[in-house]
Amino acid sequence: MSRTRTQVVIIGSGPSGLLLGRLLTKAGIDNVILDRVSAAYILGRVRAGVLEEGTVHKLEEAGVAERMHREGLPHSGFDLTFDGRRHRIDLEHLTAGKKVMIYGQTEVTQDLMDQRTRDGASTIYEAEDAQPHAFDGSQPYVTYRKDGVTHRVDCDFIIGCDGYHGPSRKAVPEAALKTFEKVYPFGWLGILAEVPPVSHELIYANHPRGFALCSMRTETRSRYYVQCSLDDKAENWTDDMFWDEIRRRLPDEVAQAMTTGPSFEKSIAPLRSFVVEPMRFGKLFLVGDAAHIVPPTGAKGLNLAVSDVHYVMEGLAGHYLDKSDVALNGYSERALSRVWKAVRFSWWMTTMMHRFDDNGTFGQRIQEAELDYLVHSEAASKSLAENYVGLPY
Ligand code: RFL
Ligand code: PHB
């Protein structure tokens, strides 16, 4: 067994692990990142597309925002459609000047990986069986296997950025955890296609046949979703079936304007809300999807991972640079306070926008009444906008 030492071990090289790694390196704090899969595999995952202003600022602080500002698309609003009508939510007006940025998670991850290479910081890909140990004491360490050799890395702190299925949360004794979960009775079927987006801003559609979302990655690449049943399979959907279904769920003027074409990615994601409390166990801290999952309707998953990174980084900077553990000790409480508000918002958007078979035509009318109220009440629109652009850290 090989044995090395660093200050912070980060398990998981998704956006949260990479961003934290970058902020630590920038602050002169030694860190190692481990991931189960390869960099190419991580970059092949198609996920989030909407960045809150707070996320944009964090990427600026990390010094990895140059390409995002060059290639990303700042959006000052989005559309809601229901009952054959289309309404714009003017984020910029409703929030006194805030916007969101359209820039894919794949690109954020690529920029962070490139920076890590420039930093000469250590990432171990294809690390098998990564496992946190002794985090309830003062000498935690992580073990993993690589190419048949077992490695041990001693450290001061272990940060679990290893997503919903990772080993960090699972290493905590069950009695020390409280979990909260809601599984929704449907999924999202998403495609990527090299066609111009139907509109220059996003469109969220409520329709009796089910939810639909028109999003994008660039001015020539569209990301579209339709609500689907949980037992559906992506391979059962031809491109033509997808285009026909999404057009049925949109007002005629939008459906007619849509450019269709072959998809080059098609997958189904289940929808779930999940939170674990607390987010810290001794020297082990959970960050991002390792601690919470939201349904994608509010575009919050990646943004929450970034706000967790902000709080844990304040804690680690306090510990190493200011010799104070006040922020570190407050991590779980501060992060959870923001997490629960985003979980609430994502649940609410999901409930308002999707077809729930059990609620019938009564449920559909209630949704339409809520949407009608939402788009015509300045107070309600402001609340939606303030949450969508992201609550303050
Ligand atoms: P990630 O991105 O899941 O990264 C976790 C990393 O941990 C690694 N890992 C391990 N490493 C070492 N040893 C092990 N045993 C490990 N097990 C796992 C994984 O390989 C991975 O590299 O978590 P992070 O960094 O917290 O980032 C969170 C975001 O990725 C996530 O919140 C969003 O992508 C959620 N999400 C979406 N959010 C949106 O806002 N809009 C979307 O359209 C959207 N689509 C999605 C999504 C999440 C999905 N998941 C998790 C299945 C679509 C999908 C399919
Ligand atoms: C996306 O572009 O993938 C996307 C956009 C907004 C959401 C969810 C996903 O709410």
Side-chain angles (χ1 to χ4, degrees):
M1 173 154 72
S2 85
R3 194 162 167 181
T4 50
R5 189 181 157 81
T6 186
Q7 290 176 299
V8 180
V9 175
I10 299 169
I11 307 181
S13 178
S16 61
L18 285 163
L19 178 60
L20 179 62
R22 166 62 184 157
L23 295 172
L24 287 170
T25 301
K26 207 164 162 247
I29 301 165
D30 227 23
N31 63 93
V32 171
I33 302 183
L34 307 175
D35 206 288
R36 188 175 54 85
V37 296
S38 66
Y41 186 94
I42 293 168
L43 292 170
R45 297 193 279 231
V46 181
R47 291 187 174 174
V50 179
L51 308 184
E52 294 174 351
E53 212 160 82
T55 299
V56 168
H57 289 151
K58 270 288 135 191
L59 295 171
E60 286 167 351
E61 183 188 324
V64 292
E66 195 209 328
R67 189 166 70 103
M68 174 186 69
H69 282 304
R70 207 162 6 99
E71 297 178 11
L73 307 170
H75 279 194
S76 54
F78 66 83
D79 284 353
L80 288 171
T81 68
F82 58 97
D83 195 22
R85 293 176 281 157
R86 179 176 183 177
H87 298 266
R88 182 164 188 268
I89 299 294
D90 186 336
L91 294 172
E92 196 171 7
H93 165 73
L94 292 162
T95 61
K98 294 211 168 80
K99 292 182 184 190
V100 292
M101 176 73 87
I102 306 301
Y103 192 61
Q105 179 167 332
T106 310
E107 311 309 322
V108 173
T109 308
Q110 177 78 66
D111 294 343
L112 285 163
M113 283 180 176
D114 290 349
Q115 181 63 45
R116 195 158 176 89
T117 305
R118 283 195 293 276
D119 286 343
S122 165
T123 305
I124 293 142
Y125 292 111
E126 296 172 319
E128 294 167 57
D129 289 337
Q131 197 59 45
H133 301 275
F135 47 83
D136 51 352
S138 58
Q139 293 174 323
Y141 62 97
V142 175
T143 55
Y144 66 94
R145 268 186 308 116
K146 170 105 181 158
D147 302 326
V149 179
T150 300
H151 301 261
R152 167 176 170 151
V153 189
D154 293 280
C155 56
D156 304 326
F157 300 103
I158 304 169
I159 317 293
C161 296
D162 46 357
Y164 181 66
H165 300 286
S168 297
R169 192 182 66 252
K170 291 183 188 145
V172 179
E174 240 172 74
L177 290 175
K178 230 188 202 163
T179 59
F180 303 83
E181 185 168 37
K182 180 171 177 62
V183 177
Y184 301 87
F186 41 73
W188 280 17
L189 169 66
I191 67 156
L192 270 176
E194 212 57 54
V195 292
V198 65
S199 172
H200 67 287
E201 292 179 342
L202 271 58
I203 303 175
Y204 290 82
N206 169 291
H207 190 273
R209 293 181 65 88
F211 171 76
L213 171 59
C214 307
S215 182
M216 66 195 71
R217 287 295 173 271
T218 65
E219 274 155 358
T220 56
R221 179 173 288 189
S222 297
R223 177 77 167 150
Y224 290 121
Y225 298 94
V226 293
Q227 175 183 352
C228 65
S229 119
L230 270 180
D231 45 31
D232 238 330
K233 298 262 173 299
E235 53 273 21
N236 294 342
W237 285 77
T238 63
D239 287 347
D240 283 344
M241 282 164 68
F242 183 91
W243 293 119
D244 287 346
E245 187 57 37
I246 194 164
R247 283 182 295 197
R248 278 193 207 109
R249 298 182 186 189
L250 294 163
D252 288 344
E253 44 124 358
V254 181
Q256 279 156 21
M258 186 172 269
T259 307
T260 63
S263 70
F264 61 91
E265 204 274 343
K266 198 185 280 153
S267 55
I268 292 181
L271 269 66
R272 158 198 321 266
S273 301
F274 172 85
V275 181
V276 68
E277 290 181 357
M279 288 170 62
R280 176 214 182 152
F281 311 89
K283 304 279 183 182
L284 172 67
F285 293 74
L286 301 179
V287 169
D289 278 18
H292 41 73
I293 297 289
V294 288
T297 326
K300 291 284 167 249
L302 171 60
N303 293 299
L304 269 189
V306 171
S307 59
D308 288 355
V309 167
H310 165 79
Y311 293 125
V312 85
M313 184 59 208
E314 276 197 346
L316 293 168
H319 176 84
Y320 286 110
L321 310 179
D322 305 330
K323 307 287 175 237
S324 161
D325 281 345
V326 173
L328 208 51
N329 291 336
Y331 169 68
S332 184
E333 202 180 318
R334 290 178 78 201
L336 279 167
S337 157
R338 190 169 191 279
V339 164
W340 272 111
K341 292 184 190 87
V343 169
R344 198 278 315 164
F345 176 70
S346 305
W347 160 84
W348 171 73
M349 280 279 280
T350 302
T351 306
M352 181 175 62
M353 297 306 294
H354 288 75
R355 174 196 163 105
F356 287 78
D357 286 342
D358 290 351
N359 295 352
T361 50
F362 176 81
Q364 178 64 33
R365 283 288 188 277
I366 291 288
Q367 288 178 340
E368 288 166 8
E370 179 159 21
L371 282 158
D372 196 45
Y373 166 68
L374 188 59
V375 301
H376 290 112
S377 155
E378 172 106 351
S381 296
K382 270 193 169 160
S383 167
L384 165 65
E386 155 177 78
N387 280 279
Y388 192 84
V389 301
L391 296 176
Y393 288 1

